[in-house]
Amino acid sequence: EAQAGDIFELHRQGELRLSVYEERPQGGLFGTATGEYFDLAVALNVFEAFFRNHTERVFANPFSDIRFRTCALKWPGGVHRFLPAGIYPNGSSEPGAAWMYYYDRPTEPYTTPPSEEDLQYVCDELPDIKRIAGMRQTLDCVLFQLAPTQGPLRITPREFSEQLVGLLVEQGPAAVAMALDRCRIHGVQVG
């Protein structure tokens, strides 16, 4: 069980990440991110629309929660966002008071081991299967936030080149082909 002193020590060692969520999200691909943990309560029609508009491959993806969050937060008509009130030991509360969610996990990037799915991307230009697994996960995670939530799942060639492929270190023909394939797999058209 963590104590306040443990958290201060982790902060001193640079082991904590700060994720801030504002009442009014900012623009850009990631905007003001909700962070890794989030709670949503949605109407049944929002939930049904998500399942109706996405493929089985999206549901099976480890980042399907990010796609669901993106769809819910961009739902037409808006979303009501809130931060919990600060609760003091005596039971009184202060709306908007600072609060913290702490969980004990290393601050290493999230990646899963390579899978059979990654073997199709191995080539002279991309020989490292572990690197390919990381690229696949990056592409899927960004694509799930980039693709529109209403209407056809389509991104522009500029979004594809600047916001999807543009985030990768490798940007050669094999990486572009991999990004196009990830779009195809998840039902997102480019153009």
Side-chain angles (χ1 to χ4, degrees):
E1 193 168 304
Q3 302 290 321
D6 299 333
I7 295 169
F8 288 123
E9 180 60 23
L10 288 172
H11 182 265
R12 188 188 67 70
Q13 295 172 2
E15 293 295 319
L16 296 181
R17 290 178 290 177
L18 176 64
S19 179
V20 177
Y21 183 63
E22 296 182 7
E23 180 66 22
R24 291 184 179 86
Q26 299 170 1
L29 176 59
F30 296 104
T32 305
T34 57
E36 185 172 352
Y37 292 94
F38 53 90
D39 290 324
L40 295 173
V42 299
L44 180 59
N45 65 317
V46 176
F47 199 63
E48 287 176 332
F50 175 76
F51 280 93
R52 189 174 47 252
N53 295 328
H54 292 85
T55 66
E56 292 292 324
R57 293 292 299 260
V58 170
F59 305 141
N61 191 289
F63 297 110
S64 62
D65 61 331
I66 291 173
R67 181 61 184 164
F68 180 70
R69 175 197 69 195
T70 300
C71 291
L73 293 178
K74 292 183 177 180
W75 188 255
V79 172
H80 176 73
R81 297 173 179 88
F82 67 95
L83 290 173
I87 306 291
Y88 296 103
N90 67 6
S92 65
S93 67
E94 178 183 341
W99 62 281
M100 180 178 82
Y101 179 86
Y102 172 77
Y103 67 99
D104 187 12
R105 191 186 93 180
T107 55
E108 299 168 3
Y110 170 80
T111 56
T112 57
S115 67
E116 281 193 36
E117 180 181 23
D118 298 318
L119 293 174
Q120 65 183 317
Y121 302 118
V122 174
C123 62
D124 290 341
E125 190 180 324
L126 298 173
D128 182 357
I129 190 77
K130 289 181 180 178
R131 181 73 183 135
I132 289 170
M135 289 173 62
R136 172 184 46 80
Q137 292 170 79
T138 297
L139 288 168
D140 288 356
C141 182
V142 172
L143 184 61
F144 285 179
Q145 296 174 80
L146 181 61
T149 58
Q150 301 295 310
L153 298 178
R154 180 184 310 271
I155 60 174
T156 67
R158 183 175 181 173
E159 290 170 324
F160 176 81
S161 65
E162 292 179 6
Q163 295 179 295
L164 189 60
V165 177
L167 291 176
L168 300 176
V169 172
E170 292 91 355
Q171 296 183 7
V176 171
M178 182 179 178
L180 282 170
D181 191 52
R182 302 313 297 171
C183 289
R184 179 194 58 79
I185 286 170
H186 297 301
V188 178
Q189 298 175 1
V190 178

